[in-house]
Amino acid sequence: MTICQPRPLFDANASSGGSLGDLPEWDLSDLYTAEDAPELTRDMEWLEQACASFATDHQGKLADLDADGMLGCVQRYERIDTIGGRIMSFAGLRYYQNTTDGERAKFFSDCQDKITTLTTPLVFYTLEINRLPDEVLDGWFAANADLARYKPVFDRLRAMRPHQLSDELEQFLHDQSVVGAAAWNKLFDETIAGLSFDVNGEELNIEGTLNLLTEPDRDQREAGARELARVFGDNIKLFARVHNTLAKEKSVEDKWRNMPTPQTGRHLSNHVEPEVVEALRNAVVDAYPKLSHRYYALKAKWLGLDTLEVWDRNAPLPTEDPKTVDWAEARRMVMDAYGDFDPEMAKIAEPFFDKGWIDAEVKPGKAPGAFAHPTVTEVHPYVMLNYLGKPRDVMTLAHELGHGVHQVLAADQGELLASTPLTLAETASVFGEMLTFRKLLDNAKTKAERKTLLAGKVEDMINTVVRQIAFYDFECKLHAARAEGELTPEDINALWMSVQAESLGPVFNFMEGYETFWAYIPHFVHSPFYVYAYAFGDGLVNALYAVYEEGDADFQAKYFDMLKAGGSKHHKELLAPFGLDASDPKFWDKGLSMISGFIDELEAMED
């Protein structure tokens, strides 16, 4: 099991202006009390025995099982997945608390290595399932309702049938993974966490420097942007090497697997059709002029500028009160919004604050950004923030807490069915943000306060939709170019800039050095083509929220049912009760019209 991806660092905000109160820290003891805990040793020993005996009992024999026997096999596999996920969750979360700590990094790597070795005997399982005739599986499902519940798991496995390699090659890829992509991922993480920036004599990490881009003082924003460019430029050869290597490795594996495009693997894992993603991408790109181009032209007017520099993109409005929101107030704001939607949602969210399920403070070496990690279904999720007290940090709390609520509700599906495809994984998080935003908007006391809230939401939505689709286009170009040969840093820089002017609009001027800003986006490294999931989730939630506003009396019940389904249903099945269909190109226009409507309201305020 992997750590969920952090939100894009372009959404990072704020520098604290005073005490934020007592910021919570993770209590990981619900997983294990320490790296040398006897329970962890016991579980690692159990895992070794369980993997070996599973292979002894079932390898080469799956086709001979009856439905009851296959159910027992699946349940054994699920238990192995749970124990392995528990160990890696503990090791990973400790590591992300301080990625520059050598002991934590070693422990994480050692666990990764050992579990990769221990689970090698399981490689046969998926391969044999995919060699079975359809009628065998159909017979199993007809004979045993408990096994039929796992049909979505089998469907996702068998979607990979055309791309499956020989048993020996699959085992080789499994074994070498720890020195392949995983090792390059770790190099990237440790390099990013270890970068040091000097802004006006103050030494900052990457999170603190990015946060300067939202400061009211324009000179401070510029200083932050130029220092980011300097440090990225100094390290650009390393980042280019990471991207070249990972893109080539992916290309090699895709070739062997007969993947028609670099994006195919992501679409398969997301259980979404390529044409649906293409419809989303095209709808967003077509909407650039009426969304980002129009909004940023409006923002330039507010700031009294003819053109915007990159350091103005996330600048606060001149009328914005640069207030700091302490932790207690942030908690109250989000919990009130959740509770107003449904008291049950607030009840599910409450333990995150009270039981050490959130790590909020910015600390040296801590991974940047924010994420929610589900761990395993028999424990609970953990949320990581880098909370610095700006209003947008409150939105990040609402976002990650939405993930947490979703993960809690889906846990009853069990380890193999709880995990949601990325395209649907952002649903509860973005919906939680929308609830919090609408609550704040309803409580706005003045026109200026309403304008500030609307502008902040539009910027967040542009970051989530427009910017992520631009990121997706950059990745598509990067992988296509890498297929033709090695890319120099200058080649990658040019690809990055080719999507920036198109997505942000003609009002922007791009400083020298901005061409390197692709270097620190973690999604390009950890999860190629992940980023469209953010746009998918935002568009989906905008459409969902429109149904909610129309007054569907059963909306809350339908919404909770959708979250409880986890990964057990396709997006068509999940959205049908709301009268929505993501495969309809007009679906995306409906979602984008909400952003456009907010910009309409902002323009009307100018009259």
Side-chain angles (χ1 to χ4, degrees):
M1 181 168 293
T2 57
I3 300 289
C4 288
Q5 287 300 307
R7 299 188 74 196
L9 289 177
F10 272 100
D11 293 350
N13 295 286
S15 59
S16 61
S19 173
L20 299 173
D22 293 329
L23 294 172
E25 186 174 0
W26 281 334
D27 175 3
L28 299 180
S29 62
D30 288 342
L31 292 165
Y32 299 101
T33 55
E35 66 274 14
D36 58 353
E39 293 83 3
L40 196 155
T41 302
R42 175 203 66 201
D43 283 353
M44 194 70 88
E45 291 171 352
W46 178 89
L47 196 64
E48 181 173 16
Q49 180 276 326
C51 291
S53 64
F54 184 89
T56 299
D57 294 345
H58 293 301
Q59 188 165 6
K61 305 170 187 175
L62 292 186
D64 300 326
L65 293 174
D66 60 15
D68 291 345
M70 190 62 203
L71 175 62
C73 178
V74 170
Q75 289 171 335
R76 284 178 70 179
Y77 187 90
E78 186 167 39
R79 187 63 192 157
I80 289 169
D81 199 45
T82 300
I83 297 300
R86 187 179 193 130
I87 293 169
M88 286 312 303
S89 292
F90 176 72
L93 293 173
R94 282 185 79 250
Y95 170 69
Y96 278 96
Q97 280 184 301
N98 188 351
T99 61
T100 57
D101 182 297
E103 180 276 323
R104 291 176 187 237
K106 173 177 165 49
F107 180 71
F108 183 38
S109 289
D110 288 349
C111 287
Q112 219 167 23
D113 290 350
K114 189 159 189 180
I115 287 180
T116 298
T117 300
L118 296 183
T119 55
T120 296
L122 306 183
V123 171
F124 81 90
Y125 178 72
T126 299
L127 306 180
E128 283 193 31
I129 285 173
N130 282 348
R131 285 197 290 264
L132 295 172
D134 289 340
E135 52 268 25
V136 171
L137 274 75
D138 292 341
W140 282 343
F141 298 146
N144 190 308
D146 290 333
L147 180 61
R149 195 176 73 82
Y150 290 96
K151 184 178 184 299
V153 178
F154 286 87
D155 289 344
R156 285 196 287 274
L157 289 178
R158 288 168 75 80
M160 286 294 293
R161 272 191 296 176
H163 312 292
Q164 187 166 291
L165 303 176
S166 69
D167 292 12
E168 292 80 7
L169 276 174
E170 292 288 357
Q171 186 164 325
F172 168 75
L173 288 174
H174 177 87
D175 287 350
Q176 69 87 44
S177 63
V178 294
V179 292
W184 288 96
N185 285 186
K186 194 174 297 178
L187 173 64
F188 172 85
D189 288 340
E190 291 174 359
T191 302
I192 285 290
L195 293 179
S196 180
F197 303 82
D198 183 344
V199 183
N200 298 325
E202 183 180 4
E203 186 176 340
L204 299 170
N205 64 8
I206 191 169
E207 191 82 30
T209 311
L210 286 164
N211 287 331
L212 295 177
L213 301 183
T214 63
E215 285 296 308
D217 186 299
R218 195 172 190 229
D219 290 341
Q220 199 170 8
R221 296 198 303 271
E222 179 179 356
R226 293 199 182 279
E227 179 65 0
L228 286 165
R230 183 190 71 80
V231 175
F232 295 157
D234 288 348
N235 292 273
I236 203 66
K237 288 184 178 179
L238 186 149
F239 291 124
R241 172 56 49 217
V242 170
H243 282 67
N244 267 292
T245 303
L246 288 174
K248 183 61 177 179
E249 182 188 59
K250 186 179 190 308
S251 173
V252 170
E253 185 170 337
D254 283 351
K255 178 184 175 183
W256 278 84
R257 291 194 182 282
N258 247 353
M259 294 285 186
T261 73
Q263 300 84 0
T264 299
R266 177 62 61 201
H267 300 336
L268 286 169
S269 68
N270 282 345
H271 205 40
V272 66
E273 301 76 14
E275 56 271 21
V276 172
V277 178
E278 188 67 10
L280 163 65
R281 182 263 172 201
N282 292 341
V284 174
V285 171
D286 289 345
Y288 284 169
K290 67 179 180 182
L291 299 181
S292 49
H293 297 190
R294 187 161 62 117
Y295 174 75
Y296 288 128
L298 198 57
K299 183 165 188 175
K301 181 180 175 182
W302 294 335
L303 294 175
L305 300 169
D306 293 327
T307 58
L308 294 178
E309 299 288 345
V310 293
W311 55 79
D312 297 318
R313 189 172 61 80
N314 282 328
L317 304 190
T319 56
E320 188 172 336
D321 176 15
K323 64 181 179 180
T324 297
V325 183
D326 68 27
W327 181 251
E329 177 68 3
R331 172 178 177 168
R332 184 194 64 75
M333 291 162 72
V334 175
M335 291 293 281
D336 283 355
Y338 277 29
D340 285 353
F341 173 72
D342 194 295
E344 181 63 20
M345 184 177 281
K347 183 179 177 183
I348 295 168
E350 195 167 0
F352 284 83
F353 294 95
D354 297 332
K355 295 189 174 181
W357 299 2
I358 299 176
D359 196 302
E361 187 179 355
V362 177
K363 305 166 195 169
K366 183 177 177 180
F371 62 72
H373 178 49
T375 72
V376 290
T377 55
E378 64 184 25
V379 186
H380 56 76
Y382 284 91
V383 164
M384 193 196 82
L385 306 170
N386 278 277
Y387 190 82
L388 289 162
K390 281 284 180 72
R392 282 182 181 165
D393 291 333
V394 180
M395 292 299 170
T396 300
L397 170 61
H399 179 102
E400 300 304 340
L401 206 57
H403 277 307
V405 168
H406 194 173
Q407 291 157 0
V408 169
L409 286 168
D412 285 346
Q413 292 289 343
E415 200 63 32
L416 297 182
L417 283 165
S419 182
T420 309
L422 293 179
T423 41
L424 296 168
E426 295 299 322
T427 304
S429 54
V430 178
F431 196 84
E433 276 191 85
M434 183 64 79
L435 290 173
T436 305
F437 164 71
R438 292 288 188 172
K439 175 77 172 176
L440 295 175
L441 196 64
D442 290 344
N443 292 337
K445 296 179 177 62
T446 65
K447 180 180 176 180
E449 187 180 351
R450 184 176 180 87
K451 178 180 176 180
T452 298
L453 286 166
L454 277 171
K457 184 59 178 172
V458 168
E459 291 195 12
D460 285 344
M461 295 170 101
I462 287 173
N463 280 334
T464 305
V465 178
V466 169
R467 198 142 181 82
Q468 301 311 311
I469 290 301
F471 284 178
Y472 176 67
D473 278 355
F474 165 72
E475 285 191 274
C476 292
K477 291 183 175 188
L478 174 73
H479 285 262
R482 183 63 181 92
E484 300 300 317
E486 177 89 3
L487 300 175
T488 66
E490 292 74 22
D491 292 334
I492 304 176
N493 291 348
L495 295 175
W496 172 256
M497 293 308 297
S498 73
V499 303
Q500 293 304 301
E502 179 189 21
S503 62
L504 294 177
V507 77
F508 271 94
N509 181 59
F510 298 99
M511 70 171 188
E512 185 178 350
Y514 181 68
E515 65 274 9
T516 64
F517 274 46
W518 54 269
Y520 74 97
I521 310 297
H523 305 69
F524 302 157
V525 173
H526 289 288
S527 300
F529 307 108
Y530 178 106
V531 288
Y532 74 73
Y534 288 107
F536 195 108
D538 197 86
L540 189 154
V541 166
N542 291 345
L544 265 181
Y545 202 88
V547 175
Y548 174 51
E549 282 190 315
E550 289 163 7
D552 184 337
D554 298 324
F555 184 89
Q556 279 86 339
K558 293 177 185 176
Y559 180 73
F560 280 118
D561 285 345
M562 179 174 67
L563 300 190
K564 288 174 183 175
S568 68
K569 295 181 179 179
H570 187 265
H571 62 80
K572 271 185 175 289
E573 196 177 353
L574 289 172
L575 291 174
F578 303 96
L580 300 172
D581 181 2
S583 63
D584 180 356
K586 293 179 182 177
F587 172 86
W588 302 113
D589 292 331
K590 183 175 183 178
L592 294 171
S593 68
M594 179 177 286
I595 309 174
S596 186
F598 287 157
I599 301 173
D600 290 343
E601 185 175 345
L602 286 167
E603 285 183 333
M605 288 181 177
E606 298 299 293
D607 298 336

